[in-house]
Amino acid sequence: MQIGYYIAKKLSLSKQQSFTKTITVLAIAAVSLSVCVVILSFGILLGFKQEIREKVSGYTGDVSVTQYQLATGSESNLFLINKKLLATINREQSIASAFPFMNKAGILKSDSTLEGIILKGIPANYDFSFYKKHLKRGIIPQYTDTKDSYDILLSEYTATIMDVDTGDRINLYFIDNDNVRMRKPKIVGIFNTGLQEFDKQFGVMHLRALQRVVNDTNYSLAAGYEIKSTEGIEPKRVQEALINLFDYNYAINTAEDLYPTIFQWLEIVDTNVIVIIILMFVVAIINIITVLLILIIERIPMIGLLKAMGAHSGKIMSIFSWQGLFILFGGLVMGNAVALGAAYLQVEHKIIKLSADTYYMDAVPFTLPLIYLIMINIAALLVCFVFTYIPVRLINKIEPSQSINFR
């Protein structure tokens, strides 16, 4: 067995109480705290980004294709649905699905309240998984390609403002210049995504019903195509793949292009988390250096004796390098256990709540793939271990004649 490892193990696992052992325990606690904060910070950051991206893309798709228009607004120019083109898009490996959609502004009216809303028209074969995930009560509407349906989904915010619930019918008005069309849809489901900026504006309706509102009796018009990327594929890659399929009349935008403010806010969060991670690593490095200095100072007589017996500095340095590794491993194990335990409790029980109006979600999220967890631990181990070389180098300056009588 390597002599450095053997001596370090004996010193570290000694049951004898000492000032050095107390300091070592405190160092392990400090390292574990730093690792815990880094893991939680990184997991919360990824959780925020994933949650918000999923919610924005749930409303808009990862990529949307619309016609260019001179004026900005909630409604895009309408065009004829190209079924052959849709089939071509769906065959792309980077694309999971593509659906036509239509946005139409309307006014909801109850006995005492008027509320503006944008109805998003979607086809019968639409992927409703996003709305199923955030459905609070009621059911997902069942649409078909052969019959108009006036079942709608409303957000919890809109339902509360209008004082309606599932099963109720509500007056809905569409105004085009001097023409007013009135419908009385049935509310079959109420959802709450936590993305209040969208929940306050949007509702879901059958695409055929909206096509009839704009006098499209052939059910052939849409305002755009909503496209979902294959899992693991960046929307930018999908955007690039679509460029050759559409001419200059069409705008191809990712969710980030459509709502840059939300994603700029995430970049600010990125910066804050990076600062926290750097500070925690600095704290861990300072702690490990300080503890090793204390260990070296307390063991100066032992170092002198070993040198007098012929042990070279490299062997003696390895003793304290191993002690530093024991501290780091102990800190990593404790830090991971505490961080992952806290993350589990938060994900399962949502202990720490958030204001959905400010943060777009009602609780602190946590997402950390295994590969990121492994990388954080390897980085913490390597960075801290490299800096253990600073105090250990002092052993070269210790002379046997002076150190054996050191008190």
Side-chain angles (χ1 to χ4, degrees):
M1 183 183 292
Q2 189 183 18
I3 189 66
Y5 171 79
Y6 178 79
I7 295 175
K9 184 179 178 182
K10 286 293 184 182
L11 293 175
S12 299
L13 301 180
S14 172
K15 295 183 179 179
Q16 183 179 357
Q17 293 296 324
S18 66
F19 175 71
T20 302
K21 188 169 184 180
T22 302
I23 290 296
T24 302
V25 170
L26 290 175
I28 292 174
V31 171
S32 68
L33 178 62
S34 299
V35 171
C36 178
V37 171
V38 169
I39 291 173
L40 289 175
S41 299
F42 212 82
I44 291 170
L45 171 64
L46 291 181
F48 264 113
K49 296 179 78 168
Q50 179 175 307
E51 190 83 7
I52 291 174
R53 283 182 185 278
E54 284 182 356
K55 288 180 177 181
V56 175
S57 64
Y59 269 113
T60 67
D62 294 310
V63 178
S64 65
V65 180
T66 56
Q67 276 197 337
Y68 283 112
Q69 55 189 22
L70 295 178
T72 58
S74 59
E75 298 182 21
S76 301
N77 291 336
L78 301 181
F79 56 83
L80 291 173
I81 298 171
N82 189 331
K83 293 182 179 180
K84 187 178 291 186
L85 178 60
L86 272 176
T88 302
I89 293 172
N90 278 305
R91 284 196 295 269
E92 288 282 339
Q93 290 186 346
S94 58
I95 293 172
S97 61
F99 303 100
F101 73 91
M102 181 186 296
N103 288 340
K104 185 69 178 173
I107 298 174
L108 295 173
K109 182 182 182 300
S110 65
D111 293 338
S112 58
T113 307
L114 289 172
E115 182 75 8
I117 191 170
I118 300 169
L119 275 303
K120 180 177 180 179
I122 52 182
N125 62 339
Y126 186 79
D127 179 7
F128 280 97
S129 57
F130 173 71
Y131 294 101
K132 285 180 181 177
K133 179 179 178 181
H134 299 286
L135 193 68
K136 294 301 180 182
R137 52 190 182 274
I139 61 172
I140 295 296
Q142 300 295 317
Y143 298 147
T144 70
D145 288 326
T146 58
K147 184 179 179 181
D148 297 355
S149 171
Y150 287 93
D151 291 345
I152 65 171
L153 288 175
L154 285 184
S155 71
E156 200 167 41
Y157 171 87
T158 304
T160 302
I161 291 293
M162 302 306 297
D163 192 24
V164 292
D165 208 337
T166 54
D168 294 342
R169 290 192 176 273
I170 189 168
N171 294 321
L172 173 61
Y173 296 91
F174 297 101
I175 302 174
D176 288 315
N177 299 320
D178 296 329
N179 191 13
V180 178
R181 289 184 174 84
M182 186 264 195
R183 299 289 186 270
K184 201 160 187 173
K186 180 181 177 182
I187 303 165
V188 297
I190 292 175
F191 63 89
N192 185 349
T193 68
L195 201 61
Q196 293 297 311
E197 184 175 330
F198 291 82
D199 285 359
K200 291 177 180 180
Q201 297 184 58
F202 288 95
V204 175
M205 196 170 188
H206 194 191
L207 177 60
R208 284 175 62 97
L210 285 185
Q211 287 169 330
R212 287 295 297 273
V213 169
V214 298
N215 281 330
D216 178 20
T217 54
N218 293 323
Y219 303 103
S220 57
L221 293 178
Y225 299 121
E226 179 183 304
I227 297 162
K228 300 282 188 182
S229 62
T230 304
E231 188 174 352
I233 301 296
E234 287 292 322
K236 288 290 184 185
R237 282 184 57 188
V238 176
Q239 186 181 38
E240 291 168 2
L242 292 172
I243 289 175
N244 294 328
L245 298 178
F246 292 91
D247 61 33
Y248 61 89
N249 290 313
Y250 292 86
I252 305 171
N253 295 303
T254 64
E256 191 169 344
D257 295 330
L258 294 173
Y259 300 97
T261 305
I262 294 176
F263 293 94
Q264 285 169 4
W265 175 74
L266 287 178
E267 290 177 6
I268 295 173
V269 176
D270 278 354
T271 304
N272 293 340
V273 170
I274 290 170
V275 170
I276 291 172
I277 290 173
I278 291 173
L279 288 176
M280 289 300 101
F281 273 132
V282 169
V283 169
I285 289 167
I286 291 173
N287 273 286
I288 198 71
I289 289 174
T290 303
V291 170
L292 286 178
L293 282 172
I294 294 172
L295 290 174
I296 291 169
I297 290 171
E298 190 181 54
R299 299 293 176 180
I300 282 180
M302 182 193 78
I303 294 170
L305 182 61
L306 289 171
K307 282 193 172 184
M309 293 172 64
H312 59 80
S313 295
K315 284 285 185 184
I316 301 171
M317 288 166 65
S318 70
I319 296 172
F320 297 97
S321 293
W322 277 110
Q323 282 197 289
L325 267 179
F326 292 153
I327 292 170
L328 289 174
F329 273 118
L332 287 175
V333 171
M334 285 182 60
N336 278 266
V338 173
L340 296 178
Y344 175 80
L345 291 174
Q346 177 61 26
V347 170
E348 291 296 319
H349 303 289
K350 297 186 176 181
I351 297 170
I352 303 176
K353 304 291 185 181
L354 294 174
S355 169
D357 288 336
T358 304
Y359 295 99
Y360 307 120
M361 58 197 74
D362 59 359
V364 173
F366 184 90
T367 300
L368 190 64
L370 181 61
I371 184 64
Y372 285 97
L373 181 63
I374 293 171
M375 288 172 62
I376 289 171
N377 281 277
I378 291 175
L381 185 63
L382 290 177
V383 170
C384 292
F385 183 69
V386 166
F387 280 90
T388 61
Y389 189 72
I390 295 174
V392 168
R393 282 289 295 172
L394 296 176
I395 291 172
N396 286 328
K397 299 182 179 179
I398 297 175
E399 297 294 335
S401 58
Q402 298 173 335
S403 60
I404 293 176
N405 295 320
F406 181 82
R407 292 292 186 270

